[in-house]
Amino acid sequence: MSRRILVALACAIAGVNAIPLWLVAKQAVTPERESFAWPPTWLPHEITLENFAAAADAVPLGQGLVLSIGVALATVGSTLLLALPAAWLAARRERVGVRLDGVMVVARLFPTIAIAVPLAVIFVRFGLYNDPGGVGLWLAHTLLGLPFAFLILRSAFRGVPTELEEAALLDGASPGTTFVRVSLPLVRPALGAAAMLVFLVSWDEFAYALLLQVTNRTLPPLLFYLSAFGHPGLSSAVAVLMLVPAIVILLVLEPALRSGVLAGSGR
Amino acid sequence: MADVRLAGLTRRYEDGAALEDFTLDLDDGELVVVVGPSGCGKSTLLRLIAGLDEMSGGQIHIGGRRVDGLAPQDRDVAMVFQSYALYPHMTVRRNVEFPLRMRGVAKAARRGRVEEVATLLEIEALLERKPGALSGGQRQRVALARALVREPALFLLDEPLSNLDARLRTSVRRHIRDVQRRLGVTTLYVTHDQTEAMTLGHRIVVLDRGRTQMVAPPLEAYARPANTFVATFLGSPGMNLLPARRQGGAIAIGDQRIELGDHMPARCADGGALTVGVRPEAFVPSNDTVAVGLRVDADPASAEPLGAETMLTGNVGRETVVIRAAGTPAAETSFVAPREILHFFDAGGRRFSP
């Protein structure tokens, strides 16, 4: 009985989430006039790929795609590189942990919009503003992703028994080797989750992308222009394009998310 | 394998000492069991020796080399944790060869050593499994194998049997003892279980609240406990302790006067207070032999027959005394503990010699 209610609830949630997805997908493959039809139609009457071609003509879509993927992957790398040692330290040393918590939360207290303008000023000084490789944006995104990765990884490291690391030290491993050979493999699911989340944070990020890059844009501001200038079909086409890498990342990281790595360490 | 010298090991925290001035010399190949109630400092002791915790004072020498101040990986010490601490993402083989890998042992030599120690601990069939697929007893043996594979100078065991069920405990205990004697590795074994202490060690160290109470071979500690703590801690149930007072050549316990003759501890002043200790198994039925000693009438309602023996309680003055009688004695038996096997402790709880 309660199982049926759960299934129904799951279906309802999935349905609610699917409606906008379906509408966007429909708009992407139908002529724009159909998007404005009243009453709105649920099923496409005429299927076409003209929106994709038109969007590519209107904005530098290929360049945006490359930059978006590049910045997102670089952000994942830099964020994890910074978050891993910080999270481990915070999990193992309570005093350090409390301070790092504070720093991470403060970094998220201000709306990105409020930081974006002063950040743009600083980046102009350092020659990172509107960088064709998106280096400035990458740094900003790292700042955004860091708290998420930190919190996920810290709680994961807390779940790794200290005794496993101590055992490795006694078995002759250096602290660095212990981290790489014992601690790191045991937080793999959390590492996967953090990577996914950080990728999506960068992939969807709009405010920094809008204000730190003017001509070398990532996909979200391009999509914003198409949408703001009244092209629901074109912006839907870009939105559908944006789904593809996100889904690929999900599929790549999904196996890592499966838990159970810690089973059997103890009694 | 090496002899070990622990001198004045001390660990203090802000809220007090966990271990105070612990001194012990272990001979090469000796197995010493450190026993005490939880919180007595025995785990702290192991962590200090292993280098996982910082000492407030003291020195550690292993094989003539001073090792305090060295990192854990440089001390040549292996440890079996209470939780086993097996690496869950590695197979049993990977777990066991990890210490060899970390020391750069060549692949062929590694294989040989792993097979050898796996045979010794009877885990050959488990080598390709992950710890998650093993039973508690199997994990325990893998943990032992991982610690023994590189032949450490000193082997530390932290309550290795506490997570096993009672039946398994006996067989693993015997196994640990056999392996230790066969390999001749100097071993420090920590437990709160006095059965393990009695059966395993060449010597035992009784710890309480961070302080050493007694160091002796197990049977000697049982026969001649150094103080009332050791007397009550060893044995199950522990020794009965009764307040008494010396009156000339006799002592008064409750309403009894026991003539001690030669057995009177010389150090005890006439009229002075002392504590008398009686092992529960020291009592014999009083109707068959006439012996001078402590007499107790057992309460028939308290009888707990265990087959080979029966547990009873009785009163001496206001104190309750536990009696462990052989077989199943008739109800309302009165018992006597002969004066030759009574123990005497001074007002501070220390044993009167001898």
Side-chain angles (χ1 to χ4, degrees):
Chain A
M1 180 60 200
S2 67
R3 194 185 150 77
R4 272 190 202 164
I5 294 176
L6 279 180
V7 170
L9 204 63
C11 288
I13 291 170
V16 169
N17 276 300
I19 290 171
L21 264 182
W22 171 252
L23 287 180
V24 166
K26 195 209 84 175
Q27 288 190 114
V29 295
T30 52
E32 283 209 325
R33 60 182 178 282
E34 228 186 282
S35 307
F36 294 112
W38 193 262
T41 54
W42 287 101
L43 296 171
H45 291 279
E46 189 190 336
I47 290 184
T48 169
L49 291 178
E50 68 185 27
N51 287 333
F52 291 88
D57 283 344
V59 292
L61 211 50
Q63 188 204 336
L65 188 68
V66 170
L67 192 62
S68 266
I69 291 178
V71 168
L73 290 181
T75 302
V76 169
S78 58
T79 305
L80 294 185
L81 223 55
L82 289 171
L84 273 171
W88 182 84
L89 209 63
R92 290 292 178 247
R93 307 262 186 284
E94 202 48 51
R95 279 188 204 164
V96 181
V98 171
R99 298 221 173 107
L100 280 175
D101 273 7
V103 172
M104 295 291 172
V105 172
V106 165
R108 294 261 39 186
L109 275 181
F110 301 100
T112 50
I113 278 281
I115 310 178
V117 173
L119 206 56
V121 174
I122 294 171
F123 282 177
V124 168
R125 287 260 174 95
F126 287 101
L128 294 172
Y129 181 72
N130 196 31
D131 183 78
V135 170
L137 192 59
W138 163 53
L139 292 177
H141 282 182
T142 301
L143 205 65
L144 275 185
L146 208 49
F148 293 110
F150 172 78
L151 290 176
I152 291 173
L153 291 171
R154 187 192 58 180
S155 67
F157 279 126
R158 278 188 181 158
V160 175
T162 316
E163 287 191 343
L164 288 182
E165 288 166 2
E166 292 175 345
L169 290 178
L170 284 173
D171 281 345
S174 67
T177 309
T178 299
F179 184 78
V180 173
R181 302 286 288 268
V182 175
S183 317
L184 205 54
L186 294 176
V187 297
R188 205 187 55 201
L191 202 59
M196 196 165 75
L197 204 63
V198 170
F199 182 90
L200 292 179
V201 163
S202 168
W203 185 250
D204 282 338
E205 202 282 326
F206 176 66
Y208 285 150
L210 185 74
L211 293 170
L212 297 180
Q213 305 284 104
V214 214
T215 51
N216 308 304
R217 292 216 183 274
T218 54
L219 290 177
L222 294 180
L223 193 154
F224 166 72
Y225 275 113
L226 293 174
S227 190
F229 291 106
H231 295 292
L234 304 197
S235 60
S236 294
V238 176
V240 167
L241 275 183
M242 282 190 71
L243 270 180
V244 177
I247 288 171
V248 168
I249 281 287
L250 261 172
L251 292 177
V252 168
L253 292 177
E254 200 270 340
L257 295 183
R258 287 196 203 133
S259 199
V261 264
L262 269 171
S265 76
R267 49 209 81 164
Chain B
M1 339 252 135
D3 56 326
V4 175
R5 275 184 48 216
L6 310 170
L9 266 57
T10 299
R11 178 67 172 110
R12 292 192 195 91
Y13 295 102
E14 283 121 49
D15 52 347
L19 192 70
E20 193 70 55
D21 197 19
F22 184 92
T23 296
L24 181 71
D25 288 356
L26 289 94
D27 291 334
D28 189 5
E30 192 180 18
L31 195 167
V32 174
V33 176
V34 177
V35 65
S38 56
C40 72
K42 52 194 194 300
S43 289
T44 303
L45 172 67
L46 288 195
R47 296 180 63 81
L48 291 182
I49 298 171
L52 299 173
D53 199 351
E54 264 179 61
M55 293 199 294
S56 313
Q59 291 189 5
I60 303 169
H61 293 264
I62 298 176
R65 186 174 66 121
R66 187 165 172 187
V67 300
D68 51 289
L70 296 184
Q73 60 265 36
D74 301 324
R75 294 189 178 196
D76 203 8
V77 166
M79 181 158 164
V80 172
F81 290 82
Q82 187 174 4
S83 67
Y84 312 149
L86 299 179
Y87 310 126
H89 55 299
M90 303 182 194
T91 60
V92 168
R93 179 188 297 283
R94 284 284 197 158
N95 263 282
V96 174
E97 72 175 5
F98 188 81
L100 301 177
R101 239 170 219 279
M102 291 301 112
R103 284 176 167 73
V105 176
K107 196 175 175 187
R110 260 188 349 233
R111 247 195 127 70
R113 273 303 291 157
V114 170
E115 303 291 340
E116 209 175 301
V117 79
T119 311
L120 182 68
L121 286 157
E122 296 162 27
I123 52 169
E124 308 101 304
L126 311 173
L127 284 175
E128 307 312 324
R129 291 208 213 154
K130 290 228 177 136
L134 304 182
S135 71
Q138 291 170 332
R139 284 178 201 175
Q140 162 64 256
R141 277 179 284 155
V142 174
L144 285 171
R146 188 179 67 187
L148 288 169
V149 71
R150 65 184 165 89
E151 297 174 333
L154 175 63
F155 188 33
L156 305 174
L157 292 140
D158 188 4
E159 307 231 6
L161 305 183
S162 62
N163 293 317
L164 301 178
D165 60 53
R167 201 137 44 108
L168 209 50
R169 221 175 277 181
T170 314
S171 72
V172 176
R173 191 170 69 212
R174 197 165 301 144
H175 206 141
I176 289 179
R177 194 179 55 189
D178 291 348
V179 168
Q180 194 273 337
R181 307 257 144 118
R182 187 141 16 129
L183 297 179
V185 52
T186 314
T187 303
L188 201 56
Y189 184 111
V190 152
T191 181
H192 66 269
D193 183 315
Q194 49 107 4
T195 315
E196 286 169 32
M198 293 302 295
T199 53
L200 269 175
H202 296 107
R203 282 189 297 159
I204 63 174
V205 177
V206 183
L207 263 188
D208 183 41
R209 279 173 284 170
R211 291 180 182 277
T212 305
Q213 305 296 316
M214 188 172 188
V215 183
L219 288 178
E220 192 186 319
Y222 188 83
R224 296 165 34 75
N227 56 37
T228 49
F229 177 81
V230 179
T232 49
F233 191 77
L234 295 180
S236 61
M239 190 182 279
N240 297 296
L241 296 177
L242 301 163
R245 192 163 287 280
R246 177 171 177 183
Q247 292 176 348
I251 51 168
I253 306 178
D255 51 6
Q256 296 184 43
R257 230 181 101 85
I258 306 168
E259 285 297 333
L260 286 189
D262 292 349
H263 300 289
M264 175 64 75
R267 235 175 359 103
C268 186
D270 197 3
L274 71 164
T275 301
V276 172
V278 197
R279 290 266 174 222
E281 65 271 22
F283 288 98
V284 292
S286 64
N287 42 6
D288 46 8
T289 50
V290 183
V292 180
L294 179 70
R295 289 177 187 282
V296 183
D297 290 324
D299 172 11
S302 72
E304 290 178 337
L306 300 170
E309 60 198 23
T310 302
M311 307 299 270
L312 294 142
T313 59
N315 287 322
V316 174
R318 271 178 297 175
E319 304 292 323
T320 302
V321 173
V322 177
I323 298 161
R324 183 178 197 163
T328 44
E332 288 189 290
T333 316
S334 73
F335 291 89
V336 61
R339 65 181 179 187
E340 301 81 41
I341 53 174
L342 297 179
H343 302 255
F344 303 103
F345 304 94
D346 66 17
R350 280 188 307 273
R351 180 182 190 84
F352 281 119
S353 53

